[in-house]
C-alpha cells in the first residue's frame, strides 16, 4: 500500500506540473491545421519567422485538436509549418498590428513520396531488428491467418511448440511470455492451453527478445516472447473484421475497431473461437526387473475442443500534448469439452497378449479471466524525456472436472472415478518507469515494479465403491496455496559514441515465495535477492552492416504447474506430478549478432552461449507394477552453444523468400538417486517460406517447418516436420481479403520420443491435432490494405 501511495502521489504531481505550464504573451497568432480529409493535424511544428531578416522568432506545436497559438509582438512575419507525412506549408504576409491575428483553417496536403516510402517499408518489414529484440509482423504470413497464438508462435524463428502446446525458444522451455510487454491473465496459469484460446486475428506482432535488457523482468532463461495485440488510434471510425471456417471444426470471428475524435480515442476488440481437435497416439513400454517384467502397448484417441470469447474495451484520453491516460478492461471466457479413450494391451515375455483394458474420460474445463489496467504516460518539452505508470489487476479461475470409466475385457466389474481440479488466481501489479535524456544521444532509464500473485488449487480424486458411494483416494487429495511477491528496481544508461552504441543496466529483484499443502501442512518458503546485470553493444560497420554484442544474467522460477504435486488423472498408468521443492534456474547468456542489409533483402546471423545452473528436467521412474511417474527435479548443469540466422530475400517484386535456422549443441549432466545422467546433443530447427504475388492481387505461400532429432538425459526426441500452404486474394478494392490455407499438408506434425533407463524402454508417438483446412475472410473499415501496412505506424509515432 505504501508503494501504491508513492506512485499515486508522483502521478498527481506530474499532472499538476504539466497543466500549470501555459504559454503567455501580448498579441497572438492562432489558427487550425487540417488535412485534406478535414482531420486535425496534431503536434505539427509551427515556426514564426521575421520577414525583415528571416530570423526565427518563435515556435509551437499544434495541440490535440490541430489548433496553435503563437505569442508575437507587432511586426511582419511568415509561418513555416511542417509535419512528417505532409507537404511543408508556408503562410506569408502575417501582420501583427495592435491586435491578435486569427488565420482560420490552414489546409495541409499529403506528401505522396513520403507515403509511398512508408508503404514500401511496411511491406518489407516482416522482420524488424532493434537493439535488444526482433519484431515479426504476423499479418504478412498467410499461415498465421485464422490461427491462434500457439500456432503463430510455432511459426516464429527459433520457437517451437510441441504437441502439448508447450513453448520453447532455442530448444529451451524456460521462456517468459508477455502480452503487450506485461504479464497478463490472458496467458494464465496454464500457458499451453491459454495460448490456444487467443485468436490470431487480434495479434499484431511477436517480439523475440533473446537477451533482454534490465528494463525487463529477469524471468525467462532463454528470453522473452512478447505478444503485441492490435491497436489503432487513427482519426474517425476505423477497424477490421475477420471470419474463419475450417475442418476439422475451426470456426471463429473477430473485430478490432477504434473511434477517435479530439482528445478521446475509444477502442474495442472481440474474438470468438470454436475448435475441435482430434488427436491420437501410440506407445510401447517394456520393463525388466529383478522380480518382475512387463510389456504393454497403449493407444490413445482424443478429441479436445470448445469455445472461447475474448472481449476488450479501452479509452485513450489525451489531456494535452504531454499527458495521456489509458484505461482498458478485458474479459475472456472459455469452456472446453475433452474426450479420450485409452486402450492398454498387456503382453507376456513371448509377446502374447494377456489382457486388454479400456479407460474413457469425459472432461469439462471452464475458464474465466478478468483484467483491468490503467496507464499514465507523460512526455516533456525535452525530447525523449518521459514518465509512465502502469497499474493492473487480474482475476482468473479455472475448473477441471472429469469422469473416468475403466474396464477389463472379460470382466464384469469396472472402476469408476472422478477428479476435480480448481485453480483460482489473483494478480496485482504496479510499475513506474522514467527516462531522462542527456547529451546528444544519451539517456538514463530507471524504474520500480511490484507484483503480487496469489494462487489456490484444490485437487481431489474420488472412486466409487461397491455400494456406489464416492470415496476420496487419500494419495490424490490436497489443497495447494502459492503466494508470490516480487519487488524490483532497475537503472540503465545508454549512449552513442560515434559508430558505437552502448547500453548497460542493473536490475535488482527481491522474491518472497511461499507454498503450502494445506491438508498435510507441508510448507516451503523461499526468500532471495538477486542482481541481474545486462550489457548491449552495437557497432555500425558500414551503412548497411551492424554488429551487436550482448550479455545478460537471468533466472527461471518454477512455474505454478511445475510445483503442483497433482496433475491430470486421465492415464491410470502414467502420472505427471510437480515438485514443490524446485529451485530457480540461473543462466549466464552471451550473444553476438551481425545484420547485413542488401538491395533485395536482409541477413541476420548470430552466435550464442548459455551456461545454466540448477537445470530442471523431467525424470521418468517406473515401479514393479508398471506405474510410471514423471516428476521435474533440479537435475543438472547445462551448456548450450548455437548459431542462428534469419534471411529475407526478394529476388523479384512478386517473389519473396524467408528462411531461418537455429543450430545448437546442448550438454547437460547431473546426478539422480546416485546415478549420473548426462546428454550431449546436436540439433537444429528451421523454417523456410516462399510467397508469390500473381496478377497483382493474388498471393500464394508455401512453408516448411523442420525440427531435427535431439538427445535428452533419459533418451531422445525424434525429428518432426510439417508443410503449410496458403492462397489469398484481395477483393472489394483492397478493403477485403479471402484466404484459403492447409496446415500440416502431409499430417506429419507428431511428437515421437524414446525413453531409456536401466531395465526400461519406452517409445511413443502422439499427434495433438490433425491436418487442417481453413478459409478466412477479412474486411478493413475505412482503410485499404496498403494504408493498413503503412499509415498506422505514422499515427502511432506522432500521437
Amino acid at each position: 500500500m505504501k508503494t501504491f501511495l508513492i506512485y499515486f502521489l508522483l502521478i498527481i504531481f506530474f499532472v499538476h506540473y504539466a497543466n500549470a505550464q501555459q504559454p503567455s504573451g501580448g498579441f497572438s497568432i492562432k489558427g487550425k491545421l487540417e488535412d485534406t480529409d478535414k482531420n486535425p493535424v496534431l503536434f505539427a511544428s509551427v515556426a514564426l519567422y521575421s520577414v525583415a531578416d528571416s530570423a526565427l522568432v518563435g515556435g509551437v506545436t499544434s495541440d490535440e485538436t490541430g489548433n496553435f497559438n503563437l505569442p508575437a509582438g507587432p511586426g511582419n512575419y511568415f509561418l513555416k509549418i511542417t509535419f512528417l507525412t505532409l507537404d511543408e506549408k508556408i503562410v506569408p504576409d502575417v501582420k501583427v498590428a495592435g491586435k491578435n491575428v486569427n488565420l482560420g483553417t490552414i489546409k495541409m496536403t499529403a506528401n505522396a513520396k513520403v507515403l509511398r516510402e512508408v508503404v514500401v517499408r511496411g511491406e518489407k518489414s516482416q522482420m524488424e531488428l532493434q537493439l535488444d529484440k526482433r519484431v515479426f509482423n504476423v499479418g504478412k504470413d498467410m499461415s498465421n491467418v485464422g490461427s491462434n497464438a500457439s500456432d503463430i508462435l510455432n511459426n516464429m524463428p527459433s520457437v517451437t511448440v510441441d504437441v502439448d502446446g508447450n513453448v520453447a525458444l532455442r530448444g529451451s522451455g524456460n521462456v517468459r511470455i508477455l502480452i503487450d510487454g506485461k504479464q497478463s491473465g490472458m496467458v494464465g496459469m496454464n500457458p499451453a492451453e491459454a495460448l490456444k484460446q487467443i485468436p490470431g486475428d487480434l495479434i499484431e506482432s511477436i517480439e523475440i527478445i533473446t537477451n533482454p535488457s534490465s528494463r525487463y523482468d529477469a524471468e525467462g532463461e532463454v528470453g522473452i516472447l512478447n505478444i503485441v495485440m492490435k491497436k489503432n488510434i487513427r482519426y474517425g471510425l476505423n477497424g477490421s473484421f475477420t471470419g474463419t471456417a475450417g475442418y476439422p471444426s475451426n470456426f471463429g470471428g473477430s473485430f478490432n475497431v477504434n473511434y477517435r475524435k479530439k482528445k478521446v480515442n475509444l477502442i474495442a476488440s472481440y474474438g470468438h473461437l470454436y475448435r475441435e481437435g482430434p488427436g491420437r497416439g501410440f506407445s510401447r513400454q517394456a520393463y525388466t526387473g529383478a522380480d518382475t517384467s512387463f510389456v504393454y502397448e497403449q493407444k490413445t484417441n482424443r478429441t479436445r475442443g470448445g469455445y472461447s470469447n475474448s472481449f476488450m474495451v479501452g479509452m485513450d484520453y489525451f489531456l494535452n500534448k504531454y499527458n495521456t491516460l489509458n484505461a482498458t478492461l478485458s474479459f475472456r471466457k472459455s469452456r472446453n469439452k475433452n474426450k479420450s479413450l485409452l486402450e492398454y494391451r498387456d503382453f507376456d515375455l513371448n509377446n502374447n497378449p494377456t489382457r486388454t483394458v479400456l479407460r474413457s474420460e469425459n472432461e469439462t474445463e471452464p475458464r474465466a479471466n478478468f483484467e483491468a489496467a490503467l496507464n499514465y504516460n507523460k512526455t516533456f518539452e525535452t525530447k525523449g524525456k518521459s514518465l509512465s505508470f502502469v497499474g493492473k489487476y487480474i482475476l482468473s479461475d479455472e475448473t477441471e472436472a472429469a469422469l473416468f470409466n475403466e474396464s477389463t475385457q472379460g470382466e464384469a466389474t469396472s472402476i469408476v472415478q472422478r477428479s476435480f481440479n480448481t485453480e483460482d488466481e489473483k494478480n496485482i501489479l504496479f510499475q513506474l518507469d522514467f527516462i531522462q535524456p542527456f547529451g546528444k544521444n544519451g539517456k538514463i532509464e530507471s524504474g520500480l515494479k511490484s507484483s503480487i500473485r496469489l494462487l489456490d488449487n484444490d485437487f481431489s480424486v474420488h472412486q466409487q465403491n461397491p455400494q456406489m458411494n464416492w470415496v476420496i483416494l487419500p494419495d490424490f487429495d490436497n489443497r495447494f496455496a502459492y503466494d508470490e511477491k516480487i519487488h524490483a528496481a532497475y537503472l540503465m544508461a545508454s549512449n552513442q559514441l560515434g559508430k558505437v552504441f552502448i547500453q548497460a543496466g542493473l536490475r535488482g529483484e527481491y522474491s518472497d515465495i511461499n507454498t503450502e499443502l494445506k491438508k498435510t501442512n507441508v510448507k516451503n518458503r523461499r526468500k532471495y535477492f538477486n542482481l541481474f546485470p545486462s550489457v548491449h553493444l552495437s557497432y555500425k560497420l558500414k551503412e548497411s552492416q551492424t554488429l551487436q554484442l550482448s550479455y545478460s544474467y537471468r533466472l527461471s522460477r518454477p512455474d505454478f504447474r511445475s510445483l503442483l504435486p497433482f496433475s491430470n488423472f486421465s492415464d491410470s498408468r502414467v502420472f505427471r506430478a510437480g515438485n514443490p521443492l524446485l529451485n530457480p534456474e540461473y543462466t549466464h547468456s552471451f550473444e553476438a549478432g551481425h545484420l547485413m542489409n542488401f538491395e533485395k533483402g536482409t541477413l541476420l546471423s548470430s552466435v550464442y552461449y548459455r551456461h545454466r545452473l540448477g537445470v530442471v528436467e523431467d525424470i521418468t521412474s517406473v515401479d514393479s507394477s508398471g506405474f510410471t511417474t514423471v516428476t521435474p527435479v533440479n537435475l543438472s548443469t547445462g551448456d548450450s552453444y548455437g548459431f542462428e540466422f534469419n534471411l529475407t530475400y526478394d529476388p523479384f517484386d512478386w517473389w519473396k523468400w524467408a528462411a531461418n535456422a537455429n543450430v545448437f549443441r546442448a550438454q547437460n549432466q547431473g546426478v539422480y538417486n546416485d546415478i549420473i545422467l548426462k546428454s550431449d546433443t546436436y540439433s537444429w530447427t528451421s523454417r523456410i517460406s516462399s510467397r508469390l504475388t500473381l496478377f497483382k492481387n493474388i498471393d500464394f505461400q508455401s512453408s516448411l517447418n523442420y525440427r531435427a532429432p535431439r538427445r535428452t538425459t533419459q533418451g531422445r526426441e525424434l525429428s518432426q516436420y510439417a508443410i503449410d500452404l496458403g492462397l489469398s486474394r484481395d477483393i472489394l478494392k483492397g478493403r477485403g481479403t479471402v484466404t484459403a490455407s492447409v496446415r500440416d499438408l502431409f499430417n506429419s506434425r507428431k511428437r515421437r520420443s524414446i525413453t531409456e533407463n536401466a531395465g526400461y524402454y519406452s517409445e511413443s508417438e502422439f499427434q495433438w491435432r490433425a491436418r487442417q483446412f481453413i478459409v478466412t475472410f477479412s474486411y478493413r473499415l475505412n482503410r485499404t490494405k496498403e494504408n493498413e501496412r503503412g499509415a498506422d505506424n505514422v499515427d502511432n509515432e506522432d500521437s
Side-chain angles (χ1 to χ4, degrees), residues 7-236:
Y7 290 156
F8 183 76
L9 291 172
L10 281 171
I11 292 175
I12 296 298
F13 169 75
F14 279 110
V15 170
H16 174 76
Y17 173 82
N19 290 334
Q21 309 305 306
Q22 301 295 336
S24 61
F27 302 115
S28 65
I29 303 170
K30 63 181 181 180
K32 183 176 183 179
L33 307 180
E34 288 185 354
D35 61 19
T36 52
D37 293 327
K38 296 186 178 181
N39 292 319
V41 179
L42 283 70
F43 311 137
S45 297
V46 182
L48 182 67
Y49 292 88
S50 170
V51 171
D53 54 8
S54 297
L56 178 64
V57 177
V60 295
T61 58
S62 57
D63 62 18
E64 63 276 357
T65 63
N67 289 293
F68 65 89
N69 194 326
L70 264 168
N76 296 325
Y77 306 97
F78 67 91
L79 295 179
K80 182 186 289 186
I81 306 171
T82 56
F83 186 71
L84 181 63
T85 58
L86 302 178
D87 282 327
E88 181 180 276
K89 182 77 172 183
I90 302 295
V91 181
D93 301 327
V94 179
K95 297 180 180 180
V96 178
K99 63 178 182 180
N100 297 331
V101 176
N102 188 346
L103 299 175
T105 300
I106 300 172
K107 293 290 184 181
M108 301 188 70
T109 57
N111 187 315
K113 179 181 178 181
V114 171
L115 286 178
R116 282 196 303 270
E117 290 173 352
V118 169
V119 170
V120 171
R121 284 198 304 271
E123 176 64 21
K124 288 189 176 182
S125 59
Q126 183 170 343
M127 181 191 76
E128 302 169 11
L129 178 68
Q130 300 179 18
L131 179 65
D132 56 358
K133 62 187 173 185
R134 289 169 288 160
V135 182
F136 294 88
N137 299 308
V138 302
K140 295 178 173 59
D141 190 332
M142 268 187 284
S143 60
N144 293 327
V145 177
S147 62
N148 57 42
S150 183
D151 296 330
I152 289 175
L153 287 176
N154 198 40
N155 286 331
M156 293 296 106
S158 305
V159 179
T160 56
V161 181
D162 66 19
V163 294
D164 295 321
N166 300 307
V167 179
L169 175 62
R170 289 179 171 173
S172 173
N174 290 326
V175 57
R176 176 81 155 166
I177 300 175
L178 304 177
I179 304 290
D180 289 331
K182 306 289 188 302
Q183 64 192 66
S184 172
M186 294 180 70
V187 176
M189 295 168 282
N190 186 356
E193 282 297 321
L195 290 170
K196 297 173 185 176
Q197 309 300 325
I198 302 176
D201 306 318
L202 300 181
I203 297 175
E204 179 73 26
S205 61
I206 302 292
E207 297 178 350
I208 300 178
I209 311 170
T210 53
N211 242 358
S213 66
S214 299
R215 85 166 60 89
Y216 295 100
D217 292 345
E219 177 75 29
E221 171 239 324
V222 287
I224 294 170
L225 296 175
N226 183 30
I227 301 174
V228 180
M229 308 302 288
K230 287 183 177 178
K231 306 176 190 68
N232 184 24
I233 54 173
R234 302 176 65 193
Y235 265 93

Side-chain angles (χ1 to χ4, degrees), residues 338-535:
N338 307 317
K339 296 181 179 181
S340 65
L341 178 64
L342 282 71
E343 179 183 323
Y344 307 96
R345 300 182 65 198
D346 295 314
F347 297 85
D348 61 21
L349 295 180
N350 296 319
N351 208 35
N352 297 313
T354 59
R355 185 175 62 160
T356 299
V357 178
L358 298 177
R359 183 177 176 86
S360 64
E361 176 192 12
N362 286 280
E363 180 189 52
T364 58
E365 196 175 1
R367 298 188 187 96
N369 168 256
F370 170 79
E371 191 167 316
L374 177 66
N375 298 266
Y376 168 68
N377 294 286
K378 175 175 176 56
T379 57
F380 299 81
E381 290 187 5
T382 303
K383 185 178 180 181
K385 184 177 180 179
S386 66
L387 173 76
S388 65
F389 168 82
V390 176
K392 184 174 283 192
Y393 180 72
I394 303 168
L395 282 177
S396 302
D397 68 78
E398 177 180 338
T399 301
E400 300 172 8
L403 180 66
F404 309 98
N405 192 304
E406 183 174 313
S407 61
T408 302
Q409 288 187 358
E411 298 182 6
T413 59
S414 62
I415 298 174
V416 180
Q417 298 169 326
R418 66 185 184 186
S419 69
F420 297 96
N421 189 358
T422 61
E423 301 169 0
D424 298 317
E425 179 178 7
K426 180 187 295 184
N427 279 275
I428 303 172
L429 179 150
F430 299 109
Q431 184 170 331
L432 186 69
D433 298 280
F434 181 70
I435 300 176
Q436 175 65 58
F438 68 90
K440 184 178 180 181
N441 298 303
K443 62 180 177 181
I444 295 175
E445 302 179 50
S446 59
L448 301 170
K449 180 180 178 181
S450 290
S451 64
I452 300 172
R453 188 181 184 206
L454 307 174
L455 296 102
D456 185 81
N457 175 267
D458 197 349
F459 179 86
S460 62
V461 177
H462 309 241
Q463 184 168 310
Q464 273 189 352
N465 62 18
Q467 292 75 38
M468 306 298 288
N469 297 318
W470 291 106
V471 179
I472 292 179
L473 302 182
D475 291 340
F476 304 100
D477 175 39
N478 218 317
R479 187 170 180 176
F480 182 69
Y482 177 87
D483 297 348
E484 175 190 274
K485 301 178 182 67
I486 299 175
H487 307 288
Y490 74 90
L491 181 66
M492 189 167 64
S494 61
N495 202 0
Q496 185 168 348
L497 306 172
K499 293 185 176 182
V500 178
F501 183 88
I502 182 170
Q503 180 189 83
L506 184 65
R507 185 181 187 91
E509 290 193 354
Y510 173 74
S511 304
D512 181 0
I513 300 173
N514 184 39
T515 62
E516 180 183 2
L517 291 169
K518 293 190 174 182
K519 294 185 179 181
T520 53
N521 198 32
V522 177
K523 299 180 180 180
N524 183 26
R525 188 163 193 177
R526 308 286 173 88
K527 291 184 178 182
Y528 48 91
F529 175 78
N530 299 104
L531 292 174
F532 301 97
S534 69
V535 179

Side-chain angles (χ1 to χ4, degrees), residues 127-136 157-158 170 208 210 544-548 591-598 601-607 643-649 659-662:
M127 181 191 76
E128 302 169 11
L129 178 68
Q130 300 179 18
L131 179 65
D132 56 358
K133 62 187 173 185
R134 289 169 288 160
V135 182
F136 294 88
S158 305
R170 289 179 171 173
I208 300 178
T210 53
S544 60
Q545 295 189 51
T546 303
L547 179 67
Q548 292 185 342
E591 185 169 346
H594 176 255
L595 174 67
M596 181 173 65
N597 295 294
F598 50 95
T602 61
L603 173 62
L604 172 63
S605 53
S606 59
V607 293
F643 166 75
E644 184 179 65
F645 79 84
N646 294 273
L647 172 68
T648 62
Y649 179 62
N660 63 79
N662 175 40

Side-chain angles (χ1 to χ4, degrees), residues 174 558 562 582-585 612 614-618 632-636:
N174 290 326
S562 297
L582 282 179
N583 291 312
E585 294 184 23
R612 303 163 62 192
V615 179
V616 176
E617 295 204 33
D618 287 337
V633 298
N634 291 104
L635 177 68
S636 60

Side-chain angles (χ1 to χ4, degrees), residues 244-251 773-775:
T244 297
Y247 176 84
S249 296
N250 184 353
F251 302 97
F773 299 91
I774 299 173
V775 176

Side-chain angles (χ1 to χ4, degrees), residues 567 574-579 617-621 627-632 714:
S567 184
V574 179
F575 186 74
R576 297 180 180 273
N579 179 1
E617 295 204 33
D618 287 337
I619 296 296
T620 300
S621 57
F627 188 80
T628 301
T629 303
V630 183
T631 307
Q714 287 190 297

